[in-house]
Amino acid sequence: MASLNMKMKKRDNYGAEPDKKKLAMAGIRHQLLLLLRRRHRLFPLRKNQVAVESKLLVPENGGRSDRHLWSSKLSNSYYGCSNASGTFQVLDKTSQTGRYLLIATSGGLNQQRTGIIDAVVAAYILNATLVIPKLDQNSYWKDISNFEEIFDADWFISHLSKDVKIIKELPKGEESRLIGLQSIRVPRKCTPSCYLQRVLPLLKKKHVVQLSKFDYRLANQLDTELQKLRCRVNYHAVRYTQTINKMGQILVDRMRTKAKHFVALHLRFEPDMLAFSGCYYGGGQKERLELGAMRRRWKTLHAANPDKVREHGRCPLTPEEIGLMLRGLGFGREVHLYVASGEVYGGDATLAPLRALFPNLHTKETLTSKKELAPFARFSSRMAALDFIVCDESDAFVTNNNGNMARILAGRRRYMGHKVTIRPNAKKLHKIFTNRHNMTWDEFSTKVRKYQTGFMGEPDEMKAGEGEFHENPTSCICGKKKANEQLKEDEHDSWPWEYSDIGNVPMATRSGLDHQSEVDHQN
């Protein structure tokens, strides 16, 4: 009965005139908070957020930071080293006539880049001549560009001339072999012995073999010399065309005219990425239907639990969350931010919170005229290449997922001097983003810096062999201050090796194995 009376009382009061005294007091508190913000140069987290709802008031400046924002602590102690040792079997000793390897890559630009890199190593293992890989023109992005429209083919061929013979197309006398040619697909992470068992017999018989869907079709862990070949391809031989490089450099120069240092963010908040991730961002039924329909294009993906995916750190951060993380790390409102992205899901409304935190926000579209960008605008791979160049040249690079571009750029920046590369620790950050309205700014920023330790691009953040080799190319990074260790590595490289007579797979000789036993015994 008492509960019924309470309900009736609530109904009676519903829609009643509000207490004028309470309204007046609320208005005074609101005005005082506004004055406080102006005095201390603070602004609310969201444009329409009521100040009393949250303790978190985000400062305009970056505040104190536990590290230098624009460089890694020990970057000068390391350098990229991918030259072949004297034991590496060079081309003139290994080339086989009548073996031609055709490669059909798969996916977007950077996924195809991994295929191009591994195609060279696969050709080396098989003692085959590599025909310039064919790019994927039937993917989600529907880009009809061929290899020579994205990459400098002549440089690619000449730079690797001592490693693998590469040609632009099959010789005229071999073209007839294409009739009835069937593509084969090797397993993912196929080892050198896997290639010798599955591909070489067919290559010897048919003389021409095409490998399809060639992405991540080579083992992650390989012999040191093969890993260094990967690095020579990735960091030196694969180069964009002069037209793309020139436009990319124009974008970099225009960022440099605005600020001495700048941050590049690979936002990766496009509809396809969000659909693939299986995450939910609060857009209601409209978002669920749109992204759900797109997700069904990947037939191998199972139904996802968005909450679990986010808890495990597998969701891209929202633009607002990225901005808060950067501010927590010490990047102030004055920092210039280049956003590398395709179509952002939700458009300008999605970007608004990030722009509020970092008003000096730029894209390739804002830095150029329509006329300048016209030769690239209709081709997703060429647009992605421009973003790649700016991100590579940035003083600090921020990834927002563990995709192909993020991994390749992270590895490249390690190889080129451990330039600052920020990988959000999304699993840990999720906890403080969820609870941020119950924290002060000092509490929030302290936890951001704590959780991001080990995710800032410092040397030795990742152990040797951890993650994809394209992201963590430890075989190709040498320490300047570790002379004794380098001498040991050189001694290891000079061990007597023999090469298989059917492929370029190193095999230790008896004396080499004895030497290995002595070293193992000493350790």
Side-chain angles (χ1 to χ4, degrees):
M1 189 72 183
S3 62
L4 181 62
N5 289 335
M6 287 293 294
K7 287 179 182 178
M8 292 298 295
K9 189 174 182 180
K10 284 183 181 179
R11 285 179 186 174
D12 291 341
N13 290 334
Y14 184 79
E17 286 291 322
D19 189 316
K20 293 181 180 180
K21 186 177 179 180
K22 288 183 180 179
L23 277 178
M25 291 298 296
I28 291 169
R29 283 198 299 269
H30 181 67
Q31 291 299 320
L32 287 172
L33 282 167
L34 285 175
L35 288 170
L36 181 68
R37 278 196 213 109
R38 290 185 187 125
R39 183 175 179 180
H40 296 283
R41 303 190 72 190
L42 299 169
F43 58 89
L45 182 64
R46 294 177 184 173
K47 184 177 179 182
N48 298 319
Q49 181 181 336
V50 178
V52 294
E53 289 180 358
S54 175
K55 293 164 61 178
L56 190 70
L57 295 172
V58 185
E60 291 190 356
N61 59 46
R64 64 185 179 86
S65 177
D66 299 333
R67 66 188 308 281
H68 194 281
L69 294 178
W70 304 110
S71 64
S72 298
K73 294 176 183 176
L74 300 173
S75 59
N76 291 331
S77 301
Y78 297 85
Y79 66 97
C81 51
S82 59
N83 289 338
S85 73
T87 62
F88 187 70
Q89 200 86 325
V90 294
L91 178 62
D92 59 357
K93 296 179 182 178
T94 66
S95 57
Q96 297 279 341
T97 58
R99 294 184 188 175
Y100 298 97
L101 184 64
L102 279 62
I103 296 289
T105 60
S106 176
L109 177 64
N110 292 288
Q111 186 173 330
Q112 292 181 86
R113 187 186 184 106
T114 65
I116 292 166
I117 296 161
D118 290 347
V120 174
V121 182
Y124 178 86
I125 291 169
L126 295 165
N127 278 351
T129 296
L130 176 66
V131 180
I132 287 278
K134 182 181 179 183
L135 300 189
D136 187 352
Q137 298 176 340
N138 299 309
S139 68
Y140 169 83
W141 296 273
K142 299 290 186 292
D143 190 318
I144 59 172
S145 302
N146 60 40
F147 187 99
E148 294 183 62
E149 290 172 314
I150 304 291
F151 303 107
D152 187 335
D154 292 329
W155 171 261
F156 182 70
I157 292 169
S158 63
H159 192 79
L160 295 169
S161 60
K162 292 183 179 179
D163 298 317
V164 173
K165 185 176 181 181
I166 305 173
I167 58 178
K168 292 184 178 180
E169 54 188 17
L170 279 176
K172 289 185 178 180
E174 302 290 341
E175 288 177 342
S176 60
R177 298 184 186 276
L178 293 174
I179 300 172
L181 179 69
Q182 290 185 335
S183 297
I184 63 171
R185 191 182 301 180
V186 295
R188 283 183 175 269
K189 310 296 184 183
C190 194
T191 62
S193 59
C194 165
Y195 276 89
L196 297 181
Q197 293 168 10
R198 289 173 176 264
V199 182
L200 189 61
L202 192 61
L203 191 58
K204 285 182 172 181
K205 180 180 179 181
K206 301 284 189 178
H207 299 285
V208 178
V209 168
Q210 175 167 292
L211 304 181
S212 64
K213 291 283 183 182
F214 200 79
D215 60 328
Y216 295 98
R217 302 290 168 176
L218 184 61
N220 195 43
Q221 302 295 327
L222 296 174
D223 169 76
T224 298
E225 289 300 332
L226 295 181
Q227 298 288 49
K228 289 192 172 186
L229 175 56
R230 263 178 166 161
C231 292
R232 290 198 293 281
V233 181
N234 192 4
Y235 306 131
H236 301 284
V238 177
R239 201 160 75 174
Y240 294 120
T241 63
Q242 186 177 354
T243 303
I244 291 174
N245 269 327
K246 184 179 177 181
M247 189 69 243
Q249 195 56 51
I250 287 172
L251 291 170
V252 173
D253 292 344
R254 288 178 184 173
M255 287 299 296
R256 294 279 180 222
T257 61
K258 296 178 182 297
K260 182 179 179 181
H261 301 292
F262 73 91
V263 176
L265 163 63
H266 184 217
L267 184 57
R268 205 61 180 99
F269 211 73
E270 296 92 340
D272 67 291
M273 180 63 204
L274 303 188
F276 186 85
S277 69
C279 301
Y280 173 66
Y281 290 93
Q285 189 66 5
K286 180 176 182 290
E287 178 185 323
R288 289 191 178 95
L289 290 174
E290 287 176 349
L291 299 185
M294 194 173 292
R295 184 175 172 82
R296 286 192 288 274
R297 296 178 184 179
W298 290 281
K299 296 179 181 179
T300 57
L301 294 180
H302 53 77
N305 181 328
D307 293 333
K308 292 291 184 184
V309 176
R310 185 174 288 276
E311 286 173 13
H312 287 94
R314 294 199 294 268
C315 289
L317 302 187
T318 66
E320 181 182 39
E321 290 169 342
I322 286 284
L324 288 169
M325 178 194 71
L326 288 174
R327 186 61 49 82
L329 290 172
F331 293 93
R333 180 180 173 84
E334 76 286 351
V335 167
H336 284 257
L337 182 64
Y338 179 89
V339 177
S341 178
E343 173 200 357
V344 175
Y345 185 68
D348 289 340
T350 302
L351 282 175
L354 177 62
R355 197 183 297 275
L357 289 162
F358 293 95
N360 299 313
L361 188 149
H362 313 279
T363 65
K364 51 189 174 295
E365 289 82 7
T366 64
L367 291 170
T368 59
S369 66
K370 286 187 177 180
K371 184 178 179 181
E372 287 176 307
L373 212 54
F376 312 92
R378 294 185 298 109
F379 305 96
S380 62
S381 290
R382 299 178 208 187
M383 295 287 270
L386 296 178
D387 279 339
F388 186 99
I389 292 169
V390 183
C391 290
D392 186 34
E393 292 290 326
S394 66
D395 301 283
F397 171 58
V398 184
T399 72
N400 192 24
N401 76 316
N402 200 31
N404 294 292
M405 180 170 165
R407 283 197 290 260
I408 288 176
L409 271 169
R412 182 179 178 84
R413 290 171 70 86
R414 284 189 174 93
Y415 182 84
M416 297 296 181
H418 285 88
K419 295 191 284 186
V420 176
T421 303
I422 302 170
R423 298 174 296 132
N425 185 354
K427 187 174 181 178
K428 292 288 184 70
L429 291 176
H430 165 69
K431 298 175 183 177
I432 59 172
F433 287 141
T434 302
N435 196 39
R436 66 191 183 218
H437 299 305
N438 297 318
M439 299 181 190
T440 64
W441 178 252
D442 281 345
E443 291 169 338
F444 179 85
S445 59
T446 297
K447 288 190 175 184
V448 167
R449 292 193 296 272
K450 176 184 175 182
Y451 292 155
Q452 280 303 119
T453 301
F455 291 81
M456 300 296 289
E458 295 288 352
D460 299 328
E461 279 186 352
M462 298 178 74
K463 297 177 182 178
E466 182 182 352
E468 293 290 339
F469 182 75
H470 300 302
E471 180 182 11
N472 186 28
T474 48
S475 302
C476 305
I477 296 175
C478 298
K480 294 178 183 177
K481 295 182 179 179
K482 297 180 180 180
N484 291 333
E485 292 182 22
Q486 188 60 43
L487 286 173
K488 287 182 181 179
E489 184 180 329
D490 292 341
E491 182 183 1
H492 169 81
D493 287 340
S494 65
W495 291 353
W497 295 97
E498 288 180 356
Y499 280 75
S500 163
D501 58 355
I502 58 172
N504 286 330
V505 182
M507 304 184 301
T509 62
R510 182 68 260 163
S511 59
L513 291 172
D514 291 342
H515 186 101
Q516 174 72 70
S517 298
E518 291 175 13
V519 172
D520 290 341
H521 180 71
Q522 291 169 2
N523 292 337

